[in-house]
Amino acid sequence: MRVTTELWVSSLLRRAFSGGGFAAVERRGAAEAGAVMIVRRGRMGDVRLYAPAAQASYDEARPEERMFTELLHADGDEEAQKRIERETRFDPDLWIVELEVDDAAFAELVSVTTP
């Protein structure tokens, strides 16, 4: 059984803070089943944008873990914000979560797969 998006995001934020990182909800979507996009900011100003992985990425028909794929890696915020705006027009239930954590913490918090 999959937990609600609201519970999953709350857990993600708590785990990021407990590891010494920073996390914030930039946009709140549907509490039960909204999709989540993750904005990861680096110390040098780079931005990575992660979106839910395609269903084909999962081994099971009903996975228990949320998986993400990297959509964008840019030097600044402008390109990422344009992509987020397009996605939110398409999906008004979308959550946007921002993380500022190191590589090891990110690997523990978010499961990333290649497209």
Side-chain angles (χ1 to χ4, degrees), residues 7-63:
L7 182 62
W8 187 86
V9 168
S10 176
S11 171
L12 178 67
L13 270 62
R14 287 177 187 264
R15 291 171 46 218
F17 280 117
S18 71
F22 172 79
V25 175
E26 288 185 8
R27 184 176 195 281
R28 188 176 187 82
E32 274 78 43
V36 178
M37 290 186 83
I38 297 173
V39 178
R40 182 174 177 214
R41 297 190 185 278
R43 291 191 172 119
M44 304 308 280
D46 61 316
V47 176
R48 293 176 186 261
L49 183 61
Y50 297 88
Q55 285 298 116
S57 301
Y58 294 97
D59 293 333
E60 305 170 28
R62 293 187 57 118

Side-chain angles (χ1 to χ4, degrees), residues 67-108:
M67 294 181 71
F68 293 85
T69 187
E70 186 175 325
L71 286 182
L72 166 70
H73 184 190
D75 289 331
D77 197 41
E78 187 176 328
E79 194 174 343
Q81 289 304 319
K82 286 180 184 177
R83 182 66 185 256
I84 289 169
E85 287 174 21
R86 275 198 329 252
E87 294 292 332
T88 55
R89 280 195 304 268
F90 177 73
D91 182 4
D93 294 333
L94 184 68
W95 289 70
I96 308 296
V97 177
E98 182 173 330
L99 293 175
E100 289 181 22
V101 296
D102 62 25
D103 291 340
F106 187 78
E108 286 184 26

